[in-house]
Amino acid sequence: MKKVITYGTYDLFHDGHYNLLKNAKNLGDYLIVAVTSDAFDKARGKLNVHDSLVQRIKNVENTGLADEIIVEEYFGQKIDDIKKHDIDIFTVGSDWIGHFDYLNEYCKVIYLDRTMGISSTELRNKKAVNLGIIGAYDIVLRFKNELKFVGGINLVGIYDEDADKLNAMAYKVEINPYKDINSLYADVDSIYIATPPKYHYKDIKNALLNDKHVLCEFPFCLDTNEAKELFEIAEARKLILMEALKTAYCPAFCKIVPIVKSGLIGNILSVDACFTQVHDSKITEQIELASGGSINALASYPLLAIFKFLGVSYLDVNFVSKFNSDGIDIFTKFNILFKDAIGTGTVAIDAKNEGTLTVTGTKGYLYVPAPWWKTDYFEVRFEDINKNNKYFYRFEADGLRYEINSFIDCVRNKIANVVLTKEEILAEVSIIEKFSSKYNVKNI
Ligand code: CTP
């Protein structure tokens, strides 16, 4: 019996997939189809898959062409599968010519003609979300660069009140400039807000009242009541409202949360997170960008870790800051007290320390090396070092693709964001607001 194996994602099942499977089946007597798992697709950088694994398997099953369906879960699995299933022929479409020649050592490799004019990517793009940007700031450049890794987004244009800034940015990133914000609203269904925090409330509200889904840069806004109002508007109008805090959506951090919550390192007694920068001559620009000092610019990151691991029901907070002559905090250390734990954050825009995250538990601790907010690797450590474990994930480029992908997923499927919750965002804003109202702030 001649056994054939083929691999694919089979997202939004189409004629190209069907033809490939039919031709693969005709190569032998028994066809095994390996469908990629969601985690494997993410790990190989394919972030925009639309259908679930179960749906994709069902679609392959419905063709009646597969004698067996397996799941592809890791790099290097093809060699294991070929040996395990005693495969005679490995086949994929001609878009992969040359790529799998190394498998000739284990079985015959055949590249089948690809069906022209159709692909999952094209089908996904037909369902594209029309996105506009508000705010001509540098982050837009990075945002635009990351869009291509997500797919399914049609970047319509950018708006900024300042016409010179708008034109300069539009030229730099090759996006259509809109002189009138209402024209932009008319052409899009979603908005990415890249303005400084002091404008977020106004910009988010305006976008929501124009029935646009919103992804807003951090910190979400500077006042808790305003933040609550924004969520109320979004909920009433069934709109997605998300904060663009990249770490919350990146693969490694998403895995740290369940590990910490699982009790593996015991009861959590403290979370310590540090994020510091030195801006030197660019510090005035940075203060303008953040509408303030180190708390506004960076506290969102330690607050993310603290509220994710300890919950949002904190009892109290205190701050120790170094202010510059303009009253801007260039360094702040804060302690957030919980019933059974403490969270400490260190942030600075004109001082430097090691940017690590550690979580102290009664059985062990979690260590994330610097820069923890961009992590692709972390360790769980114990008194008995034989029990220590290292975990590796991917973190590509700036990591913005993960938050963009989550946003697009929520918009397309009309599901509320569960990665960074409303409660966590409100807790974050409440700390920032307390700091600006000088609640429990000591100078050094
Ligand atoms: N395939 C094909 N003809 C097409 C599209 C896909 O023969 N028009 C083949 C691929 O070469 C592969 C299999 O179908 O062997 C599964 O491909 P998959 O990557 O799941 O589909 P694509 O449509 O190529 O997906 P994407 O656009 O996301 O790359």
Side-chain angles (χ1 to χ4, degrees):
M1 186 171 64
K2 212 184 247 181
K3 287 178 109 180
V4 180
I5 197 162
T6 189
Y7 290 77
T9 306
Y10 303 102
D11 189 27
L12 301 171
F13 200 88
H14 55 69
D15 285 352
H17 294 145
Y18 184 84
N19 294 339
L20 184 287
L21 293 180
K22 201 170 76 190
N23 295 336
K25 175 86 175 180
N26 286 336
L27 291 174
D29 310 300
Y30 189 86
L31 176 65
I32 300 179
V33 181
V35 181
T36 51
S37 73
D38 297 334
F40 182 59
D41 271 326
K42 284 209 170 76
R44 64 193 186 123
K46 200 165 181 172
L47 296 175
N48 51 357
V49 176
H50 186 276
D51 293 339
S52 68
L53 173 60
V54 173
Q55 184 62 52
R56 293 182 286 117
I57 289 177
K58 232 184 235 163
N59 293 342
V60 170
E61 207 171 23
N62 287 343
T63 63
L65 293 164
D67 296 290
E68 192 176 336
I69 298 176
I70 59 171
V71 176
E72 184 181 24
E73 296 179 276
Y74 57 89
F75 291 99
Q77 186 182 320
K78 290 184 178 76
I79 294 174
D80 290 348
D81 289 341
I82 289 167
K83 285 190 197 160
K84 186 171 145 194
H85 296 279
D86 199 15
I87 296 297
D88 300 290
I89 297 173
F90 168 93
T91 187
V92 283
S94 49
D95 45 324
W96 293 101
I97 280 181
H99 197 85
F100 294 109
D101 287 356
Y102 71 94
L103 293 174
N104 272 311
E105 193 184 327
Y106 305 93
C107 68
K108 192 168 177 189
V109 174
I110 296 180
Y111 300 102
L112 288 167
D113 282 345
R114 186 176 162 91
T115 308
M116 301 308 284
I118 187 151
S119 73
S120 305
T121 306
E122 265 173 45
L123 295 174
R124 281 192 294 264
N125 286 344
K126 276 194 186 142
K127 297 174 171 226
V129 169
N130 289 322
L131 182 83
I133 298 178
I134 294 181
Y137 291 84
D138 279 352
I139 184 84
V140 169
L141 195 58
R142 288 192 274 153
F143 188 87
K144 159 103 192 290
N145 285 341
E146 292 273 295
L147 283 184
K148 57 180 173 286
F149 298 103
V150 179
I153 301 168
N154 176 26
L155 185 53
V156 175
I158 181 168
Y159 169 80
D160 196 291
E161 283 174 357
D162 182 329
D164 291 342
K165 250 171 68 181
L166 171 67
N167 290 331
M169 183 56 74
Y171 178 74
K172 200 155 127 191
V173 277
E174 294 171 7
I175 320 179
N176 195 13
Y178 276 71
K179 293 190 175 55
D180 167 28
I181 196 167
N182 292 317
S183 313
L184 181 63
Y185 286 145
D187 289 350
V188 301
D189 32 48
S190 300
I191 289 284
Y192 165 61
I193 294 173
T195 51
K198 65 181 172 194
Y199 303 120
H200 285 178
Y201 168 69
K202 166 184 78 73
D203 291 336
I204 297 175
K205 189 170 172 177
N206 203 1
L208 292 174
L209 292 177
N210 278 280
D211 281 320
K212 305 301 153 199
H213 303 289
V214 173
L215 175 67
C216 181
E217 268 307 320
F218 70 92
F220 184 74
C221 70
L222 304 174
D223 178 289
T224 316
N225 285 331
E226 289 181 352
K228 281 185 187 156
E229 184 195 339
L230 295 173
F231 278 110
E232 276 164 21
I233 300 173
E235 278 160 23
R237 291 175 176 247
K238 300 196 172 16
L239 294 165
I240 306 299
L241 175 53
M242 279 173 55
E243 182 181 24
L245 186 58
K246 63 175 184 277
T247 308
Y249 307 91
C250 80
F253 191 78
C254 288
K255 288 290 182 285
I256 294 174
V257 177
I259 284 178
V260 169
K261 297 261 185 193
S262 71
L264 185 68
I265 57 171
N267 297 328
I268 307 305
L269 297 179
S270 90
V271 175
D272 296 82
C274 177
F275 192 157
T276 56
Q277 298 173 329
V278 174
H279 287 276
D280 292 326
S281 59
K282 291 198 161 169
I283 194 150
T284 315
E285 211 175 293
Q286 168 58 36
I287 290 165
E288 181 61 31
L289 255 184
S291 312
S294 53
I295 283 282
N296 275 16
L298 297 170
S300 300
Y301 286 100
L303 292 172
L304 166 72
I306 291 168
F307 291 131
K308 274 280 176 219
F309 305 144
L310 300 177
V312 297
S313 308
Y314 66 89
L315 303 175
D316 205 359
V317 57
N318 67 62
F319 306 85
V320 177
S321 294
K322 174 87 184 157
F323 290 93
N324 71 7
S325 53
D326 296 328
I328 297 292
D329 65 308
I330 50 130
F331 165 91
T332 296
K333 200 175 190 62
F334 55 90
N335 296 300
I336 305 181
L337 193 66
F338 294 78
K339 186 167 156 282
D340 300 309
I342 181 165
T344 300
T346 305
V347 284
I349 54 167
D350 205 16
K352 198 68 192 158
N353 196 349
E354 181 82 357
T356 54
L357 165 67
T358 53
V359 182
T360 313
T362 50
K363 290 185 189 162
Y365 72 100
L366 180 118
Y367 169 72
V368 191
W372 70 266
W373 53 93
K374 280 187 174 186
T375 193
D376 53 3
Y377 151 75
F378 61 89
E379 285 185 46
V380 175
R381 295 176 177 172
F382 299 93
E383 190 70 44
D384 174 0
I385 56 167
N386 295 314
K387 290 187 183 164
N388 290 1
N389 226 330
K390 293 178 179 170
Y391 299 80
F392 298 87
Y393 297 89
R394 274 171 94 108
F395 187 94
E396 302 283 357
D398 273 325
L400 297 183
R401 66 192 65 179
Y402 305 110
E403 66 187 28
I404 301 170
N405 187 53
S406 289
F407 178 64
I408 296 305
D409 226 32
C410 290
V411 169
R412 266 213 205 111
N413 301 315
K414 299 187 172 58
I415 44 166
N417 169 40
V418 289
V419 180
L420 185 53
T421 66
K422 170 177 120 183
E423 290 71 25
E424 287 157 353
I425 293 173
L426 290 176
E428 170 203 359
V429 176
S430 75
I431 298 291
I432 292 172
E433 186 184 3
K434 282 190 168 70
F435 180 76
S436 71
S437 68
K438 296 269 184 271
Y439 174 87
N440 264 347
V441 180
K442 289 218 159 50
N443 296 3
I444 51 172

